Amino acid sequence: MNAAAQAAPESERQIPRSRRGAPPLVVTAAGHTDRGHVRETNEDHHLVTPPVLVRRAEPTSSDVDAQLLVVADGMGGHVAGERASDIAVRTAGSSLLPALEWLPLACSTEDHFETCVLGEMRRVVERAHVKLREEAELEPELAGMGTTLTMAYRHGSRLFVAHVGDSRCYLLRGGQLLQITRDHTLVSEMIRAGLLSSVDEARRSIRSVLTNALGGGAESVKVETHRLQLQAGDVVLLCSDGLTGMISDVEIAAILGAYPDVHEAAERLVSVANEAGGQDNLTAVVARCEAGQRRV
């Protein structure tokens, strides 16, 4: 992938928002990755943390479980790209959960809490961006390295998403697949501006040109954020563009619906994308929500 300097605008898509009094959910999550049939190495990295208990400020409220899901797709060659995505995922994993663990105790209202979570997620992404730039300055062979980063922080039945690049976050609800994040690519911006048809053949030659990425020589990064309320039956998918470039949203929805086990669903998505050509690295992280009490 290549990165251009201009950042993509934050999404204005209407996403289901958080609401109070949501019933408890049991959430299972798993990820799977493969280098595909063309790439010599795998520049994708992903993370699925075990659920951890987070304290609640209200004395009468039960603690909730929190979990972090991350997908990063590196760019800049197999050494630099693999390094970039690894740094981004490790930064997210080591920084975000500790920072958010006690946040509910410091927030006076639910809206304040949600605003603080999204603010902290932005700071973590920006920290990873700075880290990549510093690493590239220290090691000239890493010049230009960069990565996408899509991460979803689940706090009980609420989901917070921070996103940069063209990896994606999807929500499957009632059989309908909704793309939560926007692709920060030249093609997507041209389509949104009405300058290019979504079926235009010209889009193929510039499909992988990013307008927003971590690292990649850009001075700053624009972080797109979302918050939504999860429901029983929902399935969340984070994936790299190696997956979405090989199979359609219709196929993705069908696989997620057909495989209730999250490990099998993630593996099947990657397998089908490989069967369709596997022209890039492939990563899928799947989380499924079911009604029930949190397991302790």
Side-chain angles (χ1 to χ4, degrees):
M1 294 182 295
N2 299 313
Q6 184 179 358
E10 184 167 347
S11 173
E12 298 176 356
R13 189 191 307 272
Q14 295 299 311
I15 304 299
R17 296 291 297 275
S18 299
R19 57 182 174 85
R20 298 182 183 182
L25 296 176
V26 174
V27 180
T28 55
H32 187 66
T33 189
D34 191 86
R35 68 181 178 87
H37 297 319
V38 176
R39 305 284 188 180
E40 293 183 358
T41 58
N42 192 348
E43 298 176 45
D44 286 2
H45 277 87
H46 70 284
L47 175 68
V48 178
T49 69
V52 296
L53 286 182
V54 177
R55 296 183 181 273
R56 297 292 299 273
E58 303 87 348
T60 58
S61 299
S62 301
D63 294 346
V64 300
D65 59 340
Q67 189 172 26
L68 181 63
L69 314 174
V70 188
V71 166
D73 178 3
M75 63 186 188
H78 73 278
V79 175
E82 185 176 5
R83 179 84 165 270
S85 60
D86 180 50
I87 290 173
V89 169
R90 284 192 291 107
T91 300
S94 63
S95 301
L96 190 61
L97 286 178
L100 296 179
E101 183 176 1
W102 296 97
L103 189 59
L105 298 177
C107 297
S108 57
T109 67
E110 293 291 334
D111 288 342
H112 183 208
F113 169 72
E114 293 186 357
T115 299
C116 289
V117 169
L118 293 177
E120 188 60 40
M121 293 180 79
R122 289 191 190 95
R123 283 188 285 274
V124 167
V125 175
E126 291 164 356
R127 191 176 305 142
H129 178 70
V130 171
K131 178 68 173 176
L132 289 178
R133 288 175 54 82
E134 291 174 346
E135 291 282 331
E137 290 177 0
L138 291 174
E139 301 183 47
E141 66 272 19
L142 300 178
M145 75 171 177
T147 184
T148 72
L149 183 65
T150 302
M151 60 180 181
Y153 170 68
R154 182 182 62 81
H155 180 89
S157 58
R158 288 178 289 186
L159 192 74
F160 302 87
V161 179
H163 165 72
V164 175
D166 64 349
S167 296
R168 292 179 180 177
C169 176
Y170 287 98
L171 174 68
L172 180 70
R173 174 173 291 173
Q176 299 297 313
L177 189 69
L178 173 65
Q179 183 178 334
I180 302 297
T181 55
R182 284 183 169 177
D183 297 341
H184 299 170
T185 63
L186 183 58
V187 164
S188 294
E189 290 194 8
M190 292 177 70
I191 291 174
R192 287 194 288 267
L195 301 176
L196 186 69
S197 167
S198 61
V199 295
D200 197 312
E201 289 295 320
R203 68 193 296 235
R204 295 183 180 180
S205 62
I206 56 174
R207 183 181 68 86
S208 61
V209 177
L210 295 180
T211 55
N212 189 33
L214 273 69
E219 289 290 333
S220 61
V221 62
K222 179 70 173 180
V223 186
E224 175 187 323
T225 59
H226 303 278
R227 55 188 130 180
L228 56 148
Q229 181 69 42
L230 297 173
Q231 302 175 4
D234 284 352
V235 182
V236 176
L237 169 67
L238 273 61
C239 59
S240 61
D241 73 323
L243 184 79
T244 55
M246 291 288 98
I247 57 178
S248 68
D249 285 6
V250 173
E251 292 172 293
I252 291 173
I255 292 170
L256 292 176
Y259 290 84
D261 181 273
V262 291
H263 294 88
E264 293 181 356
E267 291 174 2
R268 184 58 181 165
L269 285 167
V270 171
S271 175
V272 171
N274 259 328
E275 292 169 4
Q279 297 180 11
D280 200 352
N281 304 145
L282 311 155
T283 300
V285 170
V286 178
R288 182 174 296 275
C289 307
E290 299 174 345
Q293 297 294 327
R294 171 177 50 82
R295 299 185 180 98
V296 294

